[in-house]
Amino acid sequence: MKLVDKFTLWFIGVIVVTTPITSYICLNNIERKIDDVEIARLKTVNMKAAARMTDGSSVNIPRDASFTTFTLLPTLPADSFRIRKDPDPDGNHKSLESRLTVSTFMNINGKAYEVTTSSYIPASRQILNAILDTVAWKLLLIILCVAVSARFLSQHILHTLRLTMKKIHNFDLKKKITFPQTNTAEFKELNTFLKKMTDRAVEEYTAVKQFSENASHELQTPLAVIRGKLELLSETNIDECQATLLADMHHAIEKLSKINRSLILLSKMENNEFAVTEHIKFCRVAKDVLAAYEDRLEMKNIEVKRELDKNIQLRIHPVLADMLMNNLLGNAIRHNVQDGMIHIILKQQKLVIKNTGLPPETPPEELFERFRKSNQCSESVGLGLAIVKQICEVCDFKVSYRYKAPLHILQVDFCPESVINEAEQDKFETAAVVTA
Amino acid sequence: MKVLVVEDSKEIASSIHDFLVREGYICELAYSFDEAQEKLLLYSYDCVLLDIMLPDGNGLELLKFMKEQGIQSGVLIISAKDAMDDKIRGLEGGGDDYITKPFHLPELHARLRAIYRRKKLSGSNIITFNEITLNTDTLEASINGLLLDITRKEFDLLLYLVVNKNRVLSRQSIATHLWGDYTDNLANFDFVYQHIKNLRKKISAANGADYIDTVYGLGYKFNASKV
């Protein structure tokens, strides 16, 4: 439930609870006022009638639906007034008016008289009806106004909150964010707090990233040194035992520099250093890479089935295209078995590589993590698929893996934006002709 | 061949120096931008190995300087920056080839030789060693004038061995040379073995001497003293 709805409901609830009370007070006040006014009037009528009687002029003059009667009393009672209110003068519970009767006890010409005047006033039910009617309208209006204006108000007041939320939603560890200005105290506090938090995250991320980048960068030179010295050492007169040790060192250095290279590459991609500016013929990349691996396919005697569509152009950095294909095909060969099979399908929308091989030992979702590898191939660095995943992220491709015995299936779905269709290709070609 | 090595890391410079001197080259070292500038003005070199990241200047600036001075040496750029744009800038700025740290010395050597051939030997594309002749243009190899039926990879391998004759070449270095860095082919030394085996077979079949030695545990060597 939205904040504004909660507030509105609460407000309406308050109104609904208070309205009956105020209506009751209203009814009482109106009745009392009417009664008071009428009683005062009837008293004056009584006085005037008594005055006429004293003068001896005619008395019973009906006036304003009220009439005055004189009743001779043996003695004067203690109080000088008596007021009666009869809510149901017709006696059928349907009276629209109540009868108000005021009796004044006074001495007229030495005799005790009860001067009584009656008059009709609206029944309290009538007044109640009128009040209820009004209240209904009032409630309706208030609820409507509250509901509508609250929306606008919340739109206005919560606008900054919404902006802040949007900023947080799009928060990227790579750059700091500035929050919108606001004059609401709570939002100010929230923004200050969020700013502190996000800035800190960005700073720490940058520091960590820079450390790893610098580390891998600085490692290059010592690696080159060790490699060179080992090569020079292997030229000297060494015996078999030393040769084996040297070979192991070579091996370790090689692995180290591969890991390093891959890590540098990954961080480069994270830094978006491979902006996509050009479009390349991916089908050609696939062909070239296949050609490069020919000798290795031959050695394992792997049968290759190709389904490469022609003229498939993608917006992808050429280096990345090359690496993507290299890594995928390299994997398909490395994890393959002797006399195995690889099936490559390249369509306008996807690239699928199916290959035979031993069943996987790691769950598929972990395959794309860094340094994750199956034990069948402890020689590999374990960054190949991490690089594939990163390339796919950079290019907005979707990559997925599944195992359907006996085939490992790796699929890359190109995003529609990066596929250059025929019409666009024609445009490029004509443009090329024009520029030529 | 006279080579100038411009490299701020003394260890790397000395490794390259030792390697090239054994090859019979005259090799000079410069550890800084200024030193390199001075040497380039005073002497002439066939090839310059140039590290892009120097403490007191950028190697690309040195390329510009060489252009301005009309220095004709071939340039092989060395860099720890495995960046695409660096590569492109270096090659556009007048570098002839590009190699990234960490590299194998024989690989550096092979590239240096290739630059030297293109630049100095006026693009001579014929390399001969005893009865072996390699044509880097047509990618043809022949033994005593008899054409060998070898694949592109085998040709590259033979060229690599001949250029680095009498050196122990590790399997890693051969693998990197033949298949580049992208492929995580550590596990594939048997490929190297397979290629060497095929090559030896084909040379023997053409009555060539078996120059290729297996160095136990380390790799292979093109032994020039075998007859």
Side-chain angles (χ1 to χ4, degrees):
Chain A
M1 197 185 243
K2 275 185 159 178
L3 193 61
V4 58
D5 296 339
K6 285 189 175 174
F7 273 118
T8 310
L9 279 182
W10 172 253
F11 199 71
I12 289 170
V14 168
I15 291 172
V16 168
V17 170
T18 53
T19 303
I21 302 168
T22 51
S23 308
Y24 176 74
I25 294 169
C26 188
L27 178 66
N28 264 348
N29 282 343
I30 290 174
E31 275 194 326
R32 205 164 342 116
K33 260 283 179 277
I34 291 176
D35 288 0
D36 289 352
V37 169
E38 203 54 29
I39 288 165
R41 193 178 67 83
L42 292 179
K43 276 183 186 167
T44 3
V45 171
N46 285 353
M47 298 304 288
K48 277 179 181 162
R52 284 210 190 102
M53 177 119 180
T54 319
D55 300 345
S57 41
S58 67
V59 184
N60 286 345
I61 306 159
R63 199 173 138 266
D64 325 335
S66 63
F67 51 93
T68 311
T69 55
F70 290 83
T71 319
L72 203 54
L73 292 176
T75 50
L76 269 180
D79 46 6
S80 53
F81 295 109
R82 197 170 55 220
I83 296 160
R84 271 199 319 269
K85 194 172 179 184
D86 180 7
D88 193 20
D90 303 351
N92 58 1
H93 302 295
K94 284 186 189 166
S95 322
L96 298 178
E97 294 169 314
S98 342
R99 188 170 46 213
L100 197 64
T101 312
V102 178
S103 311
T104 315
F105 306 102
M106 49 175 58
N107 237 326
I108 300 176
N109 299 337
K111 289 179 188 136
Y113 276 99
E114 181 190 352
V115 186
T116 306
T117 313
S118 291
S119 135
Y120 290 90
I121 53 169
S124 74
R125 211 153 19 91
Q126 291 296 312
I127 300 171
L128 185 67
N129 281 347
I131 286 176
L132 284 183
D133 209 27
T134 316
V135 163
W137 279 106
K138 186 174 118 180
L139 267 180
L140 193 70
L141 267 176
I142 285 181
I143 287 170
L144 268 177
C145 284
V146 165
V148 173
S149 66
R151 301 226 156 265
F152 282 116
L153 193 68
S154 98
Q155 282 276 359
H156 176 70
I157 290 179
L158 296 185
H159 181 63
T160 46
L161 181 71
R162 247 191 299 278
L163 283 180
T164 302
M165 291 211 293
K166 205 168 161 187
K167 289 259 184 192
I168 290 290
H169 190 72
N170 296 330
F171 175 54
D172 177 10
L173 271 172
K174 291 188 188 75
K175 53 184 184 291
K176 294 187 178 182
I177 35 182
T178 44
F179 288 100
Q181 287 293 326
T182 170
N183 49 17
T184 315
E186 287 89 343
F187 294 161
K188 251 188 199 158
E189 204 179 330
L190 178 73
N191 283 357
T192 318
F193 166 73
L194 283 175
K195 176 111 185 92
K196 252 193 204 149
M197 207 169 76
T198 50
D199 281 3
R200 176 111 188 245
V202 170
E203 276 158 22
E204 303 217 337
Y205 172 77
T206 314
V208 167
K209 207 174 64 158
Q210 260 179 345
F211 168 78
S212 62
E213 273 169 28
N214 290 344
S216 13
H217 221 86
E218 292 304 317
L219 277 176
Q220 298 281 57
T221 302
L223 276 174
V225 172
I226 298 174
R227 216 191 226 178
K229 301 291 181 202
L230 278 179
E231 267 158 5
L232 291 173
L233 189 57
S234 40
E235 305 284 327
T236 55
N237 282 326
I238 45 172
D239 59 32
E240 236 175 63
C241 174
Q242 289 165 322
T244 316
L245 292 176
L246 272 182
D248 291 349
M249 279 194 231
H250 255 306
H251 205 80
I253 286 290
E254 219 54 41
K255 208 163 176 173
L256 195 50
S257 72
K258 275 233 155 54
I259 291 173
N260 210 27
R261 225 176 247 279
S262 305
L263 286 177
I264 288 177
L265 183 77
L266 282 168
S267 67
K268 271 214 182 83
M269 277 193 265
E270 279 166 12
N271 294 347
N272 291 332
E273 281 180 46
F274 292 100
V276 189
T277 47
E278 46 209 312
H279 51 287
I280 53 157
K281 285 201 162 141
F282 198 77
C283 39
R284 187 161 302 158
V285 173
K287 276 201 190 85
D288 290 350
V289 173
L290 266 169
Y293 278 98
E294 211 148 77
D295 44 2
R296 260 172 290 181
L297 289 164
E298 230 167 75
M299 265 199 60
K300 269 199 172 174
N301 193 18
I302 294 172
E303 175 202 357
V304 180
K305 286 189 203 156
R306 311 171 179 218
E307 279 183 59
L308 303 178
D309 278 11
K310 284 204 169 55
N311 210 6
I312 290 187
Q313 300 205 10
L314 294 178
R315 276 194 192 83
I316 177 175
H317 195 287
V319 172
L320 295 189
D322 205 42
M323 238 170 327
L324 181 70
M325 206 59 217
N326 251 314
N327 273 311
L328 289 176
L329 199 60
N331 269 337
I333 296 170
R334 191 172 336 110
H335 299 291
N336 221 318
V337 286
Q338 193 69 33
D339 307 322
M341 188 275 290
I342 293 180
H343 187 181
I344 301 179
I345 306 159
L346 177 62
K347 293 249 180 299
Q348 191 74 287
Q349 300 297 347
K350 63 179 182 191
L351 164 72
V352 185
I353 295 185
K354 303 177 181 177
N355 63 280
T356 47
L358 300 170
E361 293 165 11
T362 44
E365 61 273 10
E366 288 178 9
L367 262 184
F368 293 95
E369 287 172 14
R370 293 182 188 188
F371 301 109
R372 170 73 55 183
K373 53 192 176 198
S374 52
N375 301 335
Q376 312 155 12
C377 194
S378 62
E379 286 293 358
S380 79
V381 170
L383 285 171
L385 280 181
I387 288 175
V388 166
K389 184 174 158 223
Q390 189 74 41
I391 291 175
C392 289
E393 259 170 40
V394 168
C395 302
D396 259 350
F397 297 169
K398 267 215 290 291
V399 63
S400 57
Y401 164 87
R402 60 186 189 280
Y403 179 70
K404 226 162 85 186
L407 291 177
H408 297 263
I409 303 166
L410 236 150
Q411 178 163 344
V412 176
D413 293 303
F414 308 133
C415 74
E417 289 81 50
S418 61
V419 179
I420 293 157
N421 56 32
E422 305 262 333
E424 271 186 90
Q425 282 176 30
D426 289 346
K427 218 166 40 194
F428 279 121
E429 271 158 33
T430 49
V433 169
V434 169
T435 50
Chain B
M1 171 153 73
K2 203 170 163 197
V3 182
L4 174 66
V5 180
V6 185
E7 163 67 67
D8 55 317
S9 157
K10 288 204 167 53
E11 290 105 337
I12 290 188
S14 81
S15 294
I16 296 173
H17 176 270
D18 293 356
F19 189 94
L20 294 180
V21 165
R22 266 211 45 199
E23 212 56 48
Y25 300 159
I26 297 156
C27 181
E28 303 231 353
L29 302 179
Y31 298 122
S32 70
F33 187 91
D34 287 343
E35 210 178 335
Q37 222 169 14
E38 194 180 329
K39 284 208 151 105
L40 280 167
L41 282 172
L42 288 174
Y43 314 102
S44 70
Y45 297 92
D46 297 317
C47 267
V48 179
L49 293 184
L50 176 58
D51 190 345
I52 278 197
M53 309 262 282
L54 292 170
D56 56 343
N58 187 321
L60 293 171
E61 290 295 314
L62 206 63
L63 275 176
K64 216 189 277 173
F65 166 79
M66 286 171 69
K67 233 185 201 159
E68 285 161 7
Q69 297 294 323
I71 293 166
Q72 291 292 317
S73 320
V75 178
L76 174 57
I77 294 168
I78 304 171
S79 162
K81 272 199 185 164
D82 197 1
M84 208 49 204
D85 49 348
D86 249 34
K87 213 172 199 160
I88 291 163
R89 276 216 307 268
L91 295 179
E92 278 176 350
D96 295 288
D97 201 355
Y98 190 99
I99 191 169
T100 50
K101 286 179 195 170
F103 46 79
H104 292 279
L105 289 169
E107 178 70 21
L108 178 92
H109 181 210
R111 288 177 188 233
L112 204 57
R113 289 294 310 187
I115 292 174
Y116 185 63
R117 278 200 303 273
R118 284 200 300 268
K119 279 256 176 199
K120 286 289 160 185
L121 310 177
S122 50
S124 160
N125 45 30
I126 307 289
I127 296 150
T128 46
F129 175 81
N130 292 354
E131 70 271 36
I132 301 176
T133 310
L134 294 166
N135 184 328
T136 55
D137 259 5
T138 57
L139 305 179
E140 283 169 344
S142 48
I143 306 259
N144 295 323
L146 183 69
L147 208 59
L148 284 179
D149 173 28
I150 59 175
T151 65
R152 170 76 206 253
K153 284 272 186 278
E154 284 160 357
F155 179 89
D156 286 343
L157 177 58
L158 183 55
L159 180 61
Y160 192 53
L161 286 160
V162 168
V163 165
N164 287 298
K165 54 182 169 288
N166 291 337
R167 295 223 171 254
V168 177
L169 298 176
S170 65
R171 293 186 196 83
Q172 290 96 335
S173 130
I174 293 172
T176 310
H177 180 79
L178 292 186
W179 292 292
D181 273 323
Y182 281 148
T183 52
D184 188 358
N185 51 25
L186 280 166
N188 300 334
F189 291 151
D190 42 358
F191 284 117
V192 176
Y193 166 76
Q194 198 69 27
H195 276 83
I196 296 269
K197 204 172 78 177
N198 291 345
L199 191 59
R200 283 169 84 169
K201 234 190 266 169
K202 286 175 182 177
I203 292 173
S204 303
N207 288 327
D210 185 15
Y211 294 106
I212 304 174
D213 285 353
T214 303
V215 182
Y216 178 79
L218 281 177
Y220 303 94
K221 185 162 138 185
F222 189 90
N223 193 338
S225 49
K226 271 200 185 170
V227 178

